[in-house]
Amino acid sequence: MDPKKELIIKFNHIILIQGFTRFSMVDLAKMANISRAKLYIYFKNKDEIVAAVVERHLRFTQKYPVPSQAQADNLLPTMLNAWLLMGSTTTLFEQELQQTYPQLARRLNQAITKYFADVQQYYQQAQTANLIIDTVSTEYLMFQNKLNIRGILQQVQLGELTLEQGEHYLKESSTFQLQAMFVAPVPQPTPEVLALEKTIINEYYDTYSLTN
């Protein structure tokens, strides 16, 4: 992987948990385990680091757009991508971004809001196609998805759950939500879905292992 991309990913994990407003470039270099000179090769200042992290989130919404039509073969990966995005930020990061870089915060919020609006519309199509349950509203399904994911991650961040317990609960929450939402039995995961599940767990550990 390109060294700069590796650094962006590393800083993404760091500032989600540790924040960024109280750290200098020297601090961030130490946290990323690189020299200050090497850091300045890729980023002139902290503004560029934060902007790069935000851009990583934006690229995700562009790389994995919500399908225009709900179908059985795209249901599982679409839901997992939505859940990955739901857990891809923290309250600390959102607050610091809003306070320090309001334009970036607005841009990120607009992209994520649009993405989740597309997911909700997708859920409505899936209900019409009898792919997921229609006994509750799509608004509630989205709320419940986010509540489960963010709730588990916040408990890990607070130290109420260990990393291993958090992983176990995330997997059980995914299983429970899928079984509760699907009309038919949950299909066997494809290699694409298995790779996505692995990505989710890797992102989880890379981020929340930094929790004090």
Side-chain angles (χ1 to χ4, degrees):
M1 184 185 295
D2 177 83
K4 185 173 183 178
K5 289 183 179 179
E6 289 184 351
L7 264 180
I8 292 170
I9 292 172
K10 186 174 290 188
F11 281 127
N12 190 151
H13 299 145
I14 290 170
I15 68 179
L16 285 182
I17 298 301
Q18 304 292 343
F20 58 84
T21 56
R22 59 194 177 98
F23 299 120
S24 66
M25 289 289 279
V26 174
D27 295 327
L28 291 171
K30 290 179 180 179
M31 295 165 77
N33 198 30
I34 62 171
S35 68
R36 181 174 59 175
K38 186 174 182 180
L39 177 59
Y40 276 107
I41 292 175
Y42 301 109
F43 302 101
K44 295 179 182 178
N45 50 48
K46 190 164 60 175
D47 296 354
E48 290 190 357
I49 294 176
V50 176
V53 169
V54 170
E55 189 61 34
R56 182 174 187 240
H57 289 259
L58 296 174
R59 281 198 302 271
F60 179 90
T61 66
Q62 297 162 0
K63 186 176 181 180
Y64 302 104
V66 179
S68 58
Q69 187 63 43
Q71 299 175 348
D73 61 351
N74 63 29
L75 187 58
L76 194 52
T78 300
M79 294 170 74
L80 290 176
N81 276 327
W83 297 353
L84 176 57
L85 189 60
M86 287 176 182
S88 68
T89 186
T90 61
T91 300
L92 174 62
F93 175 64
E94 293 167 350
Q95 290 177 343
E96 291 196 351
L97 192 65
Q98 179 60 48
Q99 293 167 359
T100 312
Y101 304 102
Q103 291 184 339
L104 276 180
R106 182 164 56 252
R107 186 179 172 205
L108 179 60
N109 184 63
Q110 287 174 344
I112 291 178
T113 299
K114 172 65 167 57
Y115 193 91
F116 288 147
D118 290 344
V119 173
Q120 186 171 327
Q121 185 176 20
Y122 176 91
Y123 277 4
Q124 291 170 349
Q125 293 177 358
Q127 286 182 333
T128 301
N130 200 36
L131 296 174
I132 65 174
I133 60 171
D134 61 2
T135 51
V136 295
S137 68
T138 55
E139 291 90 346
Y140 177 77
L141 291 177
M142 294 287 292
F143 170 79
Q144 188 63 41
N145 292 165
K146 186 175 181 179
L147 182 66
N148 285 345
I149 294 165
R150 291 292 290 263
I152 293 169
L153 295 178
Q154 286 171 358
Q155 289 297 298
V156 174
Q157 192 170 2
L158 291 171
E160 298 295 328
L161 293 174
T162 66
L163 276 171
E164 292 74 18
Q165 287 173 323
E167 177 191 1
H168 183 63
Y169 283 5
L170 285 171
K171 289 179 176 178
E172 288 201 329
S173 175
S174 175
T175 298
F176 177 77
Q177 290 186 79
L178 291 173
Q179 289 178 347
M181 290 176 64
F182 274 57
V183 171
V186 180
Q188 288 297 312
T190 63
E192 174 193 14
V193 169
L194 290 174
L196 179 54
E197 290 176 340
K198 184 177 180 180
T199 296
I200 291 172
I201 295 303
N202 287 343
E203 285 282 320
Y204 162 73
Y205 270 99
D206 288 342
T207 300
Y208 286 87
S209 62
L210 301 173
T211 300
N212 292 327

